[in-house]
Amino acid sequence: QQQVKQSPQSLIVQKGGISIINCAYENTAFDYFPWYQQFPGKGPALLIAIRPDVSEKKEGRFTISFNKSAKQFSLHIMDSQPGDSATYFCAANKGGNKLVFGAGTILRVKS
Amino acid sequence: DAGVIQSPRHEVTEMGQEVTLRCKPISGHNSLFWYRQTMMRGLELLIYFNNNVPIDDSGMPEDRFSAKMPNASFSTLKIQPSEPRDSAVYFCASSTSDTQYFGPGTRLTVL
């Protein structure tokens, strides 16, 4: 029940395209759903986060869509750029406690 | 703010040796997390502290691993004796709420 399942494992997108990464969870007590971005040789960094009281959150080219009934959330990267090439992790937690991370998605944006 | 500081950034040691990884969290953050990242297992939470007290060490692989947080500005993760399978990138993260801020990591290689 603590798992967060992330897909796909890897993704190749053309420059200017839309990148979509999906996550699913089981624990309905989770109340915070962040996405982290990690570049090679660096630590993960918070990209965008959402709470279950809203269905969508947008920050620039990055959007989280949240479906509470399906227990799924996804990251959409609009107008993907080569600089977006990185590993993306979804995560979830309950009440400020430890984060449960997905397995990660390696995104490559081809120029 | 300097962010989370970890040292050393790289460590190469021989099997059986003791290894100590260090972390300085962001000032004012009351939670500290130690993670291990490998290709096979992804990002694993080893242990986390709240107000310098260990809260959950269920992710610590075995007794060879130990972590301490003697004060709010310093934590160590010790492996004794080290084994080749401990080779990984070890991250420290700190938080004051849901958002965790990761350090740059320590790349450990055990020969």
Side-chain angles (χ1 to χ4, degrees), chain A residues 31-32 34 36 38 41-46 51 87 89 93-99 101-103 106, chain B residues 9 31 33 35 37 39 42-43 45 48 55-56 58 91 95 97-105 107:
Chain A
D31 61 3
Y32 175 71
Y36 279 78
Q38 185 180 26
K42 305 290 185 182
L46 179 67
R51 294 195 183 275
T87 300
F89 294 93
N93 81 352
K94 173 174 70 73
N97 244 320
K98 60 183 182 181
L99 284 171
F101 280 90
I106 300 172
Chain B
R9 294 295 312 276
S31 294
F33 306 81
Y35 290 89
Q37 186 175 41
M39 289 294 293
L43 201 57
L45 177 67
Y48 81 94
I55 302 300
D56 185 346
S58 60
F91 289 103
S95 75
S97 62
D98 291 314
T99 302
Q100 293 184 21
Y101 297 84
F102 283 74
R107 180 173 294 277

